[in-house]
Amino acid sequence: MNKVPRHIGIVLDGNRRYAVKLNLPGYKGHEFGAKKVEELLDWCKELDIKELTLYAFSIENFSRPKEELKFLWHLFEREFRRMKSDSRIYDYRVKINFLGRLSLFPRGVREAMHKLMEATKKHKDHIVNFAMGYSGRLEIVDAIKKIFKDLKARKIKPKDISEDLLSEKLYIKSEPDLIIRTSGEQRVSNFLLYQAAYAEWFFIKKLWPEFTKQDLILAIDDYSNRQRRFGR
């Protein structure tokens, strides 16, 4: 690998299809997906990837069947509480962020997310962002609302509105160098619409629970051999 991207985004796609392949209820696949995220932390530390943004739960996912949502609420709360006591988070100095409309989640999930963010807020070596209740379009809408509020309070003037200002108001300012999507789907799916303007995309047919360290290396190697022109 000639160069490793500083920031990688991953669309964690294919959990339910993986469970179906094993003749299990579709929602059971999310447990396998969560296990894979655990492994991913070690791979990224080893490869010196500084920042990860994981598309874990979209705003549209709230419309899924009640049985699946109930399973997910339990899984999210359990995994975020487990992560708070995971020694690697402290040994690797990983800061955890959650991006999206977090108020839409049940109280137990919200509390687990906030406690994990609070426990890791001073860590600076690595960053993991979980996009939860996330929508790229709504992120831009929420940023515009913040700008309008500042205009109304006369904290800024219309001439101050710029790309930099909008970027400051987004859930996350950092822009991914590489975005990986698993499961063979080849679409953006409302993920980091503003930040991914010049990201390189890598699509792989494997379902997320099937993703391996070698697949990550393959994606990085492919990225390292591309020329990023940024429109120039």
Side-chain angles (χ1 to χ4, degrees), residues 7 24 35-37 45 47 55 114 117 126 132 138 145 156 169 173 179-180 186-187 194-196 219 221 228:
H7 182 179
L24 295 171
K35 264 293 186 193
K36 191 59 61 174
V37 170
K45 172 65 169 62
L47 296 170
Y55 202 4
H114 287 300
M117 285 193 287
H126 299 273
M132 300 281 294
L138 290 181
K145 286 180 178 178
I156 60 172
K169 300 296 183 181
K173 183 178 180 180
I179 300 179
I180 301 169
Q186 296 187 33
R187 55 179 178 269
Y194 191 89
Q195 299 90 334
D221 190 47
R228 302 186 73 198

Side-chain angles (χ1 to χ4, degrees), residues 87-211:
S87 61
R88 295 175 303 162
I89 297 297
Y90 305 92
D91 293 342
Y92 301 168
R93 304 294 293 167
V94 181
K95 181 178 182 179
I96 306 292
N97 296 318
F98 292 93
L99 322 172
R101 295 193 169 181
L102 308 185
S103 62
L104 299 177
F105 288 94
R107 185 175 65 180
V109 178
R110 293 198 312 269
E111 287 179 353
M113 290 191 287
H114 287 300
K115 286 180 179 179
L116 183 51
M117 285 193 287
E118 182 65 25
T120 63
K121 66 182 181 181
K122 294 183 180 179
H123 296 175
K124 295 182 179 180
D125 290 358
H126 299 273
I127 298 172
V128 177
N129 308 303
F130 288 95
M132 300 281 294
Y134 178 84
S135 158
R137 287 180 173 180
L138 290 181
E139 179 179 21
I140 295 170
V141 168
D142 288 347
I144 292 170
K145 286 180 178 178
K146 291 176 186 176
I147 291 173
F148 180 76
K149 186 176 179 180
D150 286 347
L151 283 169
K152 195 174 180 181
R154 297 187 177 181
K155 293 180 180 179
I156 60 172
K157 297 177 181 178
K159 67 178 183 179
D160 297 324
I161 299 174
S162 64
E163 287 187 24
D164 287 340
L165 178 63
L166 180 59
S167 182
E168 290 285 350
K169 300 296 183 181
L170 295 170
Y171 301 151
I172 174 176
K173 183 178 180 180
S174 177
E175 298 181 358
D177 303 297
L178 170 67
I179 300 179
I180 301 169
R181 179 163 189 157
T182 57
S183 87
E185 304 292 349
Q186 296 187 33
R187 55 179 178 269
V188 176
S189 292
N190 209 4
F191 182 50
L192 299 179
L193 296 182
Y194 191 89
Q195 299 90 334
Y198 287 103
E200 299 291 330
W201 282 79
F202 183 86
F203 299 100
I204 185 170
K205 289 184 177 180
K206 283 188 177 180
L207 306 174
W208 171 241
E210 298 170 329
F211 193 77

Side-chain angles (χ1 to χ4, degrees), residues 28-58:
K28 285 284 188 179
H30 299 301
E31 284 191 318
F32 295 101
K35 264 293 186 193
K36 191 59 61 174
V37 170
E38 282 190 57
E39 296 177 47
L40 182 65
L41 291 177
D42 287 323
W43 303 341
C44 290
K45 172 65 169 62
E46 184 178 339
L47 296 170
D48 198 30
I49 296 163
K50 297 300 184 184
E51 186 166 3
L52 273 177
T53 300
L54 306 178
Y55 202 4
F57 193 87
S58 72

Side-chain angles (χ1 to χ4, degrees), residues 67-81:
E67 183 182 22
E68 181 176 355
L69 291 177
K70 184 177 180 181
F71 181 86
L72 281 167
W73 303 156
H74 174 74
L75 179 65
F76 287 151
E77 184 174 350
R78 185 191 75 197
E79 286 301 307
F80 296 146
R81 291 188 187 283

